[in-house]
């Protein structure tokens, strides 16, 4: 088990990653080294996704990456654009095109390929309304996640594949949603676990399990200020 001292040996970056996973974005930013430009941008973009505020700060942080990490900047910028489109937060005329281009470019980067493929899937699913393209992207992302032992990405792909399965194989769809929930909980990814709990609860029959999942999702959403999740509760 790592001690606090061991975590702090890298100047707080490991602590920031831990706090980020827990959905404590402000605390993570506070301990992040000042030269961690990419990590700061990732934190702010993720915070915007879950809390739906701070878009200007996130865009500024992404802009600071344009010269040193143009592909990563495009990828993170695409997430901001997708968030605006999905939640109708003043989307701009070029948001869809730029989001697609940013994710597509990142798909060719070995560091970002799996996640970029997933994001292309949700863009196709939720904005372009193309479930066939989305399903193919989710399957590719799932394969990539398993090949690279990325349990968080696997949880995302499983959740969305599960949603696609519900209409024609409800049992398997529930199994995938449940797997997503358990993977996220095992990783300590609190915002993602809360979202998975609510998604699973919505597909279960009324009863104790569904009630417990909703209660857990509500507690986490309120504690962390997960704006869109609170709206869905």
């Amino acid at each position: 088990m790592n001690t606090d001292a061991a975590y702090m040996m890298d100047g707080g970056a490991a602590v920031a990653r831990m706090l980020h996973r827990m959905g404590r974005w402000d605390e993570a930013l506070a301990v992040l080294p000042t030269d961690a430009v990419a990590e700061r941008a990732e934190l702010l973009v993720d915070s915007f996704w879950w809390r739906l505020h701070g878009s200007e700060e996130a865009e500024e942080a992404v802009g600071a990456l344009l010269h040193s990490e143009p592909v990563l900047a495009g990828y993170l910028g695409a997430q901001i654009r997708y968030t605006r489109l999905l939640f109708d937060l003043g989307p701009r005329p070029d948001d869809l095109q730029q989001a697609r281009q940013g994710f597509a470019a990142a798909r060719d980067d070995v560091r970002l390929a799996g996640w970029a493929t997933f994001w292309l899937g949700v863009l196709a699913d939720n904005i372009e309304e193309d479930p066939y393209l989305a399903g193919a992207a989710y399957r590719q992302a799932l394969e990539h996640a398993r090949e690279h032992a990325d349990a968080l990405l696997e949880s995302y792909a499983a959740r969305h594949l599960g949603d696609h399965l519900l209409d024609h194989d409800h049992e398997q769809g529930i199994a995938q949603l449940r797997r997503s929930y358990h993977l996220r909980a095992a990783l300590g990814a609190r915002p993602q676990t809360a979202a998975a709990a609510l998604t699973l609860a919505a597909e279960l029959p009324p009863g104790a399990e569904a009630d417990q999942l909703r209660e857990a999702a509500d507690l986490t959403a309120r504690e962390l200020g997960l704006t869109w999740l609170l709206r869905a509760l």
Side-chain angles (χ1 to χ4, degrees), residues 83-179:
T83 304
R84 281 200 298 254
L85 287 164
L86 184 64
F87 296 108
D88 195 23
L89 301 173
R92 300 168 190 173
D94 65 342
D95 272 350
L96 176 56
Q97 179 183 359
Q98 292 297 320
R100 191 187 300 116
Q101 290 178 358
F103 291 139
R107 187 177 50 189
D108 297 327
D109 187 307
V110 66
R111 303 168 303 168
L112 303 170
W115 281 99
T117 299
F118 166 77
W119 282 102
L120 282 168
V122 292
L123 189 70
D125 216 357
N126 298 325
I127 306 301
E128 299 175 295
E129 299 183 352
D130 188 338
Y132 298 103
L133 182 60
Y138 297 149
R139 288 188 291 273
Q140 291 170 19
L142 181 62
E143 182 179 352
H144 186 280
R146 289 175 173 169
E147 287 177 355
H148 294 82
D150 187 338
L152 187 61
L153 176 57
E154 181 176 351
S155 81
Y156 272 77
R159 176 259 182 269
H160 287 271
L161 285 169
D163 188 58
H164 279 216
L165 283 167
L166 288 171
D167 288 338
H168 60 274
D169 192 337
H170 194 262
E171 184 177 346
Q172 283 301 311
I174 291 291
Q176 290 298 316
L177 295 183
R178 196 181 297 280
R179 176 162 180 75

Side-chain angles (χ1 to χ4, degrees), residues 25 46-53 82-83 86-87 89 119 156 159-160 184 191-192 194-196 198-199 221 225-233:
W25 298 278
D46 192 48
S47 174
F48 175 51
W49 162 254
W50 289 102
R51 300 193 287 187
L52 303 184
H53 63 77
Y82 172 73
T83 304
L86 184 64
F87 296 108
L89 301 173
W119 282 102
Y156 272 77
R159 176 259 182 269
H160 287 271
R184 295 176 181 196
Q192 293 87 346
L198 186 60
T199 300
L226 310 179
T227 302
W228 62 259
L229 194 59
L230 285 168
R231 292 175 181 173
L233 284 162

